[in-house]
Amino acid sequence: MSVAPDETTPPPAGPPPRLLDVGLRVAGGLVAVVAGVVTGLLELILATARVAGQLIGVSVLLAIAANIVLSWFAHESVGRRWSVALPAVPWFVLMAVAAVRTSEGDLLLAGDNWVGLVMIVAGAMTFAVMGFRQILAVPPSRLGD
């Protein structure tokens, strides 16, 4: 009679190794930061979209939808309540830079563009609401507690 375990049985399923978990969380955080920049750029490009000479406001809808998804993704991938800041900070910085006139007189987001102004307010409010929800959310109970 042998006391060695049977080699045909698979190892017990358990949590992933600590290093893999940290690596995946860091990668998810980096994806959230890059996605915040990319969606911000896309929203700025679409802020001037017109149909028949009229601004259509598609960037406002994109800002709301993208910021909800980015906030959710950051929280799910990083697993921390503060993770909503990962896509929000670069998004806010990008919007602030776009609203400042350069020394040459260039301006990405003019004050007379109602779509740009509403996009900034709607995007900021979306990040604020998602962050508020994540901070107030009841943490999931641990097994065995």
Side-chain angles (χ1 to χ4, degrees):
M1 180 161 161
S2 174
V3 291
D6 186 16
E7 293 185 34
T8 59
T9 60
R18 176 94 173 120
L19 185 59
L20 177 63
D21 184 50
V22 170
L24 288 174
R25 288 176 190 261
V26 169
L30 289 174
V31 168
V33 169
V34 171
V37 171
V38 170
T39 59
L41 288 172
L42 184 60
E43 292 160 15
L44 285 171
I45 291 169
L46 292 176
T48 58
R50 296 175 184 266
V51 171
Q54 298 296 319
L55 292 168
I56 58 173
V58 69
S59 64
V60 175
L61 299 175
L62 179 63
I64 294 169
N67 292 354
I68 289 172
V69 171
L70 286 174
S71 299
W72 171 83
F73 175 78
H75 184 261
E76 288 296 316
S77 63
V78 176
R80 300 286 185 248
R81 293 178 184 207
W82 54 264
S83 61
V84 70
L86 292 173
V89 169
W91 188 88
F92 282 120
V93 168
L94 189 60
M95 294 302 149
V97 168
V100 174
R101 189 175 303 275
T102 65
S103 59
E104 293 85 18
D106 298 332
L107 186 62
L108 290 175
L109 198 56
D112 62 348
N113 182 347
W114 69 267
V115 175
L117 298 174
V118 173
M119 176 189 66
I120 291 174
V121 171
M125 289 301 295
T126 303
F127 276 128
V129 168
M130 292 301 289
F132 187 70
R133 289 187 64 201
Q134 290 172 3
I135 289 170
L136 292 182
V138 176
S141 62
R142 296 182 184 182
L143 295 176
D145 284 350

